[in-house]
Amino acid sequence: MDPLTHFLDGPRAARAFALSVHMSAPWGIAVRDNAALTVLAVTKGQARVDGMLLEEGDVALVRGPEPYEVTDAAGSVPTLEIGPGQRCTTVEKHDVRDELRHGIRRWGNAKDGETSLLVGTYERPDQAGGIVARALPRLAIVRQEDADSTLVELLARELAHDDPAAQVVVDRLLDVLVVSTIRGWFDSPESSTGPTWLTCDDPIVTKALEQLHAAPEMPWTVGSLADHVNTSRASLAARFRSTVGEPPMSYLTRWRMTLAGDLLHAPGTRTISQIAHTVGYTNAYSFSTAFRRHLGLTPTEYRHHHPALSDGDGTR
């Protein structure tokens, strides 16, 4: 399995917050929902995300949890605010959920404004995939000519109805749209500053990455990894550093921390010790020490340092 396939295997929406937004100028929204990842597709008109223009047909991915603004024009001042749990208020904190709701998954200051957006939000890091959240830029835009309009149309159609199992269909369409958008972004000139390991074409390094991704719990050394890919230790170390930008064991540690972050936020009752063994540490102490060194928080602190999952029904 190539590195990009591992990367794209992350998004797993579960009762995702998704809706169709219809706005009439002037308008501005300050988004402070702490979400891990948001996909925005412009289906009519245009909008700006932190000043970057999105036109009809464009799709953007916004990596959280930092706040951002979506407005009708450059310099527009937000009058609405989206907070944790997708709670909508004015900037003065007046609740306007009912005032701006026009159906179960339709929202905005107009029933049919000159701008329409599709919005899908992955609220927790484990839903978006920690690899996605860390490797994407703050804002990744795929222009209309490279975006998958068919997926956008399918999602728009599903959001327009409240059919049985609609939420399940919305979740899966959202996952596919995110994956398609990521692929489109990596094919664009803007991705040239992205992580080189995702498009690695060195067959030896690709095989090494596959080994590390598939079995992070193994007690890897550069020597044992070299044996698995049938090359010398020195050759692997040089080629890995040249292609990926860091030594194999440094990369392995980062990969383990990424997986651990996802597991810490995933539903369930895995203990710190169980997670430690899953990602290749013999005990919770050594895992906690490595985790804090890389992320600045203990695993327990990290586990509790995210917003609560909301009900995701699109009616808030």
Side-chain angles (χ1 to χ4, degrees), residues 198-223:
L198 287 171
T199 53
C200 170
D201 58 3
D202 183 320
I204 292 296
V205 176
T206 296
K207 288 178 181 177
L209 286 166
E210 289 174 0
Q211 293 291 332
L212 298 180
H213 286 195
E217 75 283 358
M218 292 283 289
W220 292 108
T221 64
V222 177

Side-chain angles (χ1 to χ4, degrees), residues 243-261:
T243 304
V244 179
E246 62 183 314
M249 295 303 100
S250 295
Y251 176 85
L252 174 60
T253 299
R254 267 200 314 119
W255 174 246
R256 286 170 167 171
M257 295 303 103
T258 295
L259 295 177

Side-chain angles (χ1 to χ4, degrees), residues 1-240:
M1 188 182 293
D2 63 275
L4 187 56
T5 299
H6 282 286
F7 173 82
L8 293 176
D9 196 36
R12 292 288 187 276
R15 294 182 57 79
F17 179 82
L19 76 171
S20 178
V21 176
H22 302 268
M23 303 298 288
S24 181
W27 59 272
I29 304 170
V31 184
R32 299 186 173 90
D33 59 1
N34 299 324
L37 187 71
T38 298
V39 57
L40 297 166
V42 181
T43 56
K44 186 172 72 170
Q46 63 180 40
R48 289 180 179 269
V49 179
D50 280 349
M52 293 294 293
L53 178 63
L54 299 180
E55 298 183 295
E56 186 171 324
D58 293 347
V59 182
L61 296 172
V62 186
R63 176 173 55 82
E66 291 77 12
Y68 60 94
E69 294 181 356
V70 185
T71 62
D72 66 310
S76 290
V77 178
T79 57
L80 299 173
E81 182 175 306
I82 306 297
Q86 304 302 318
R87 304 296 178 182
C88 181
T89 66
T90 64
V91 291
E92 293 83 15
K93 306 304 180 184
H94 172 65
D95 192 321
V96 291
R97 285 173 295 174
D98 292 337
E99 181 180 337
L100 299 181
R101 183 185 297 148
H102 302 294
I104 191 163
R105 292 186 178 89
R106 190 179 177 93
W107 181 94
N109 68 2
K111 288 187 177 180
D112 189 23
E114 64 268 19
T115 297
S116 296
L117 308 169
L118 298 184
V119 180
T121 300
Y122 293 76
E123 295 189 306
R124 296 196 316 251
D126 65 284
Q127 293 176 328
I131 311 164
V132 173
R134 289 166 179 80
L136 283 174
R138 174 79 175 102
L139 176 64
I141 299 174
V142 175
R143 298 302 177 183
Q144 181 272 333
E145 58 270 21
D146 297 315
D148 193 326
S149 60
T150 301
L151 283 173
V152 174
E153 290 168 5
L154 286 171
L155 183 58
R157 186 188 312 165
E158 200 63 35
L159 290 173
H161 304 286
D162 187 28
D163 296 332
Q167 183 65 59
V168 175
V169 177
V170 167
D171 285 349
R172 297 293 72 80
L173 285 174
L174 192 60
D175 289 344
V176 178
L177 179 58
V178 168
V179 169
S180 174
T181 304
I182 292 169
R183 291 171 62 184
W185 183 77
F186 273 108
D187 287 338
S188 70
E190 288 79 6
S191 69
S192 59
T193 57
T196 57
W197 59 269
L198 287 171
T199 53
C200 170
D201 58 3
D202 183 320
I204 292 296
V205 176
T206 296
K207 288 178 181 177
L209 286 166
E210 289 174 0
Q211 293 291 332
L212 298 180
H213 286 195
E217 75 283 358
M218 292 283 289
W220 292 108
T221 64
V222 177
S224 65
L225 187 59
D227 289 342
H228 272 78
V229 298
N230 299 314
T231 192
S232 70
R233 184 182 185 280
S235 176
L236 175 62
R239 293 167 73 163
F240 200 100

Side-chain angles (χ1 to χ4, degrees), residues 253 257 281 286-299:
T253 299
M257 295 303 103
Y281 289 84
S286 60
F287 165 62
S288 297
T289 300
F291 194 90
R292 184 164 191 168
R293 183 168 60 248
H294 280 265
L295 296 175
L297 297 169
T298 68

